[in-house]
Structure formats: structure tokens, C-alpha cells
Amino acid sequence: MSLPTISLESLVSTKSFDQLLATAKSAGCASSSCGSSAKPDEMDSAVWEKIKDHPCYSEEAHHYFARMHVAVAPACNIQCNYCNRKYDCANESRPGVVSEKLTPDQARRKVIAVANEVPQFSVLGIAGPGDACYDWKKTKATFERVATEISDIKLCISTNGLALPDRVAELADMNVDHVTITINMVDPEIGAKIYPWIFYNHRRHTGIDAARILHERQMLGLEMLTARGILTKINSVMIPGVNGEHLIEVNKWVKERGAFLHNVMPLISDPAHGTHFGLTGQRGPTALELKTLQDRLEGGVKLMRHCRQCRADAVGLLGEDRGQEFTIDQISDDITYDASKRNAYREVVARERGDHVAAKSQAVETVKATGSGKSLHIAVATKGGGRINEHFGHSKEFQVYEVSHRGISFIGHRKVEQYCLGGRGADATLEGVIAALKGIDIVLCAKIGDCPKDQLAEAGIRAMDVYGYDYIETAISALYAAEFGSEPLAATA
């Protein structure tokens, strides 16, 4: 007999610890150790313990766990042609943008507020809006204050790598076991096209000299982190005509030096953002160009394909931002941490993840059994939890999966403007959504109206809501089996 379905959506909206704990017990989960089967068979147990609740380092974890960035490090030691830091901006979603800068004490208060209200919260990151290693005193003070209050929060930084070698020992001492380094080149001539200047050893360097110093420091920092057992994610911005092909070489270099993940992201280039590339007309890659490059990198460092290019003050699951709920003016000066909600959530999620992994494994077997050589690209509307649980008109992004005889793979996401507001849909917005879904064969969602469904069909995209609230992989396998002649897998509730 299968255990009752858990609604993670209802779980996180529950305010009472007693209700959360009752949900955990009714689901048959006695401790947080259940669900441990979610660990991939080939992965080292020590590595799994580090990444299992980290939404950026584990594609599986990003369905269940949330990150938070605190904007305590505004100072930066390099200039990137794709970056323009903004410190009072609520309506742009890209790295380097924040609504408010924080002191370490304000960050501590904000972290406690989020931990009390967002049970999925598992990772605290400092990603600027400048550089966490360069603005080190604030970074270190923030981590020390938070670790004293909430000992189980994973601590994480993002850095350009220039000051990283000077901070590795202290990072290790503070139990920071995840570091992201942005590495866009290993050839200084290419680097000179991306970085106009760096500030190193008390003076400004420009051109190829600046890029050479940056490259050497990045490689040294990566090697030092690997030697300490600290997991590294490499972020690379794909800039067509500048470093697109070159990122294949970057992948080789970072693999040789022990990087755990490589995250190739599209250049965000909009004149309104005020960046050099935006103002000079440098375009970003198309979704197809990005996927083609990522596919060519398979076999190198393991790829991250679920990145959302978060703001430097992002709060929530990847793909959502609840930062405006936790501005510092809304938080009490004497707030205290209550662990009950996070603890109960983890008990429930542990069982749910075990179920999900079992369902995913069965789904992959079903797909492989078809023997079909054909593939489909499927866009999914989801709020998280690994299920098809979002209405088409409410979606602000779609997760994209590729299914073929080789299995089911998450390959990216498509951001869109929300089509339905106040119960009404805007035709112009729907046109933009359809354009963003170019190359998609089928859309799966919890609900969709006849009008958008018909317009999608006219664009050659089928939309279905018959698999609403199923696990994503279970629905995809049933759909694929039905399309290509195998016995469909029964939907998992």
C-alpha cells in the first residue's frame, strides 16, 4: 500500500509546528534519515552529504530546498563588461542587483526571519553585489554571526577569484564547503575583451596584463579549494563571438583542477541595464546556442543546467524571489530563531524525496523500454516538489526536459511573463510566452484554458493538463510511452 500523497505546497504555507509534525508522522516518516535512497549510487557519501540539500549543487535538491543571498559585500576588485551593480533596484532579476545593502548585523536578523518563515531554506550565500572575497571583513562577520544562531545552514560564497587564494584557509576554518568562481576565460587575450580592468596589489591593471593576473589567481584559488576538499562550481557567461567556443577549453582546465560543477549561463544583455555589452549591442546566446554548447561539454565537468542567474539578494526556491517579504524595515530588532518549522519540513521532504527518486527510476525504465529513437522537448509548469503543480497562466518560467530512449534529462528553463493576471489573460503576453517556448513539443501544466491551448496548438505546441500534480518524470514517461507504442506507466499520485 502506497503512503499518502504529501502536498509540499500546503506544507510550506502551514504556520503551526504541530500541523507540520502531524503531516510528517501521517506520511510514515519517523526520522530525517528516511529518503536516503535519493543518493545517486555512483556518488561518494561524503559529497552527497554536502550537496543533498543545496539547490545549486544538486538538480534534485532544487525542487525542495531554497537559497538566500545577503547583500553585505558591495565592494568589487574587477570590472566586467556584462555587469552594472545596482543597489536600490526591485524590478530587475540578474546578478549584481539588490534592493538594499545590509550590514552583517542586519543580515543576521534577515537570515533568522527567513529561516522562521521559509522552511525550505537550507543555504546562505554571499554573492556580492561586489565580491565576497574582496569585501572580506563583512563577509566573514556575517558568516560568524549567522553560524552562531543557526548551525545547520550551509554557507556558500560566489567570487570572481582574484582575492580567493588569500581567503581559502579562513573559508575552510568557517566550514564553508561550497564556493562558486566565475571563470569566463583561460586565454588572457579573450579575457581582455571581457574585463577592462582589475584592482590587485593596490593598483589598477588593464588589458591583457589584467586578464593574465586574474586567470592565474583563479586557477590557484581553484586548486587550493580542491586540496581542502571544498566543492567548487564554476560559473561561465556565454558571450557569442567572444568566448562561446573558448568555454570548451575553460571546461577542460577546470576539470583538471578538480571543479565539481560547470554552470554555463547566457549573457544578459539589455541596454536598459547600463552594462558595456548592453550599450554596445553585444547579443546574448539563443536558447538553442546555449544548449548546443552545453551538450558539447558533456563528458567534461558535470554541468549545472538549472541556474536562474539570481539577484545578489534573492530569497526562496530557484526560480522565485521572496526578497520583498523580508526587507529590513519589516524585521524586529530582537528577532529570535525558531527551528521547529524547518525541522518538520525536512522530515516530510526526506520521505517525499525517496518516493520521487523511486518514481523517477521507474519512469526512466519505461522510457528506455520503448526502444524508440525519437526525442521530445517538454516544458513543465511547476511550483517545486518535482511535480506538475502550476497553472499555465500563472507560470513565470517553464522547466524544460528532453526525453528519448536514453532517458529523461532536465536541460534548462525558459523565463516568461505571467500570462494570466486577475483571472484574465493578455494576448500580447501570450504571444511572448509562445515565442519563449520555441522548440518545445509539449507543455505539461496543472491547468490550462482553451484559448491559450488553441494558440499554442497553432504554433505547433501541444498543451496538456491531464497529468496535473503527478511527478514530472512519471508524467513524461507515460506520455512518451503513449506516443511511441509502449505500455504507459501508471501515474503516481
Side-chain angles (χ1 to χ4, degrees):
M1 179 179 175
S2 62
L3 293 169
T5 298
I6 299 169
S7 169
L8 293 178
E9 183 182 350
S10 63
L11 174 65
V12 298
S13 65
T14 304
K15 300 297 182 184
S16 163
F17 167 62
D18 291 337
Q19 288 176 291
L20 279 167
L21 193 57
T23 304
K25 290 179 177 177
S26 70
C29 182
S31 77
S32 60
S33 63
C34 74
S36 60
S37 59
K39 183 183 84 68
D41 293 337
E42 71 281 2
M43 183 171 289
D44 178 78
S45 295
V47 173
W48 173 246
E49 284 301 314
K50 290 181 179 180
I51 73 164
K52 67 178 183 179
D53 299 341
H54 198 308
C56 302
Y57 281 68
S58 166
E59 191 275 322
E60 189 260 347
H62 100 278
H63 294 291
Y64 302 102
F65 290 99
R67 84 300 191 221
M68 175 185 184
H69 294 166
V70 286
V72 297
C76 196
N77 50 356
I78 73 173
Q79 177 61 54
C80 309
N81 280 333
Y82 52 74
C83 181
N84 179 25
R85 296 181 296 281
K86 293 185 179 180
Y87 301 146
D88 185 20
C89 180
N91 36 355
E92 288 182 21
S93 182
R94 59 182 176 86
V97 171
V98 300
S99 294
E100 55 186 5
K101 291 180 288 184
L102 303 175
T103 67
D105 283 326
Q106 289 173 327
R108 180 195 65 83
R109 287 165 49 204
K110 185 171 180 176
V111 170
I112 293 172
V114 170
N116 287 348
E117 296 298 323
V118 183
Q120 309 104 310
F121 175 37
S122 64
V123 174
L124 172 66
I126 297 179
D131 188 79
C133 288
Y134 182 62
D135 213 343
W136 180 247
K137 288 184 179 179
K138 296 172 187 173
T139 296
K140 184 178 180 181
T142 300
F143 280 163
E144 289 174 341
R145 285 162 171 76
V146 171
T148 300
E149 300 269 359
I150 312 175
S151 60
D152 68 334
I153 287 289
K154 292 185 183 297
L155 304 177
C156 186
I157 69 160
S158 181
T159 176
N160 58 53
L162 184 58
L164 174 60
D166 304 327
R167 310 303 180 198
V168 170
E170 289 177 278
L171 288 167
D173 289 343
M174 290 189 296
N175 296 316
V176 175
D177 50 17
H178 302 80
V179 172
T180 294
I181 314 170
T182 299
I183 300 178
N184 294 314
M185 57 84 200
V186 292
D187 179 345
E189 291 193 5
I190 292 175
K193 301 176 184 178
I194 302 171
Y195 306 104
W197 58 261
I198 68 169
F199 189 78
Y200 177 67
N201 273 351
H202 308 292
R203 74 182 188 89
R204 181 174 293 201
H205 302 257
T206 61
I208 291 177
D209 179 52
R212 177 187 55 78
I213 294 169
L214 178 60
H215 164 61
E216 291 173 353
R217 297 284 289 175
Q218 289 174 336
M219 295 301 108
L220 175 60
L222 174 55
E223 291 167 357
M224 293 173 68
L225 291 169
T226 300
R228 293 270 188 164
I230 297 173
L231 297 183
T232 51
K233 174 168 66 72
I234 306 305
N235 281 355
S236 297
V237 179
M238 182 183 179
I239 310 164
V242 177
N243 72 345
E245 287 290 316
H246 180 63
L247 290 180
I248 297 171
E249 192 67 19
V250 171
N251 186 272
K252 294 177 183 176
W253 276 66
V254 300
K255 180 180 181 180
E256 291 170 357
R257 288 156 179 80
F260 180 73
L261 278 178
H262 192 187
N263 173 32
V264 178
M265 310 174 292
L267 171 70
I268 298 175
S269 184
D270 184 334
H273 296 160
T275 68
H276 173 78
F277 279 150
L279 294 172
T280 57
Q282 171 63 54
R283 71 175 182 88
T286 65
L288 179 58
E289 287 173 330
L290 180 64
K291 181 181 181 299
T292 298
L293 176 60
Q294 290 171 331
D295 289 347
R296 291 177 66 188
L297 295 177
E298 289 289 352
V301 180
K302 179 179 172 62
L303 294 178
M304 177 189 183
R305 295 189 187 235
H306 59 283
C307 176
R308 302 305 197 272
Q309 293 177 277
C310 304
R311 292 167 55 103
D313 59 0
V315 176
L317 295 169
L318 299 190
E320 74 170 2
D321 186 4
R322 298 177 57 183
Q324 292 304 304
E325 299 174 36
F326 300 99
T327 54
I328 200 66
D329 61 298
Q330 302 178 70
I331 301 170
S332 169
D333 289 341
D334 57 358
I335 189 168
T336 58
Y337 175 51
D338 178 2
S340 59
K341 200 171 183 183
R342 289 181 66 238
N343 290 342
Y345 176 81
R346 284 168 180 263
E347 287 202 20
V348 178
V349 165
R351 203 284 296 176
E352 171 80 351
R353 290 176 81 175
D355 266 11
H356 187 187
V357 169
K360 186 186 297 188
S361 177
Q362 188 177 2
V364 170
E365 288 181 12
T366 298
V367 166
K368 290 181 176 179
T370 65
S372 172
K374 297 182 179 179
S375 65
L376 294 172
H377 289 91
I378 298 176
V380 178
T382 177
K383 295 179 181 178
R387 295 182 183 268
I388 303 165
N389 54 9
E390 179 67 285
H391 289 214
F392 174 84
H394 297 169
S395 292
K396 294 182 179 178
E397 72 163 32
F398 292 88
Q399 295 188 7
V400 181
Y401 290 78
E402 183 175 51
V403 54
S404 71
H405 66 283
R406 293 183 297 274
I408 302 169
S409 300
F410 177 92
I411 61 171
H413 65 281
R414 307 281 179 91
K415 292 184 179 180
V416 298
E417 185 178 350
Q418 185 175 338
Y419 159 63
C420 184
L421 294 169
R424 299 176 63 86
D427 290 342
T429 303
L430 180 57
E431 290 175 6
V433 174
I434 292 173
L437 293 173
K438 182 179 180 180
I440 298 298
D441 299 300
I442 299 170
V443 171
L444 299 180
C445 52
K447 197 71 176 175
I448 185 171
D450 290 338
C451 176
K453 188 174 183 179
D454 290 344
Q455 290 195 44
L456 283 165
E458 290 176 7
I461 303 170
R462 286 180 286 164
M464 301 182 181
D465 54 17
V466 294
Y467 298 105
Y469 301 95
D470 285 350
Y471 283 127
I472 293 169
E473 294 84 2
T474 298
I476 290 174
S477 69
L479 175 62
Y480 189 80
E483 289 279 313
F484 301 115
S486 178
E487 186 69 23
L489 182 69
T492 300

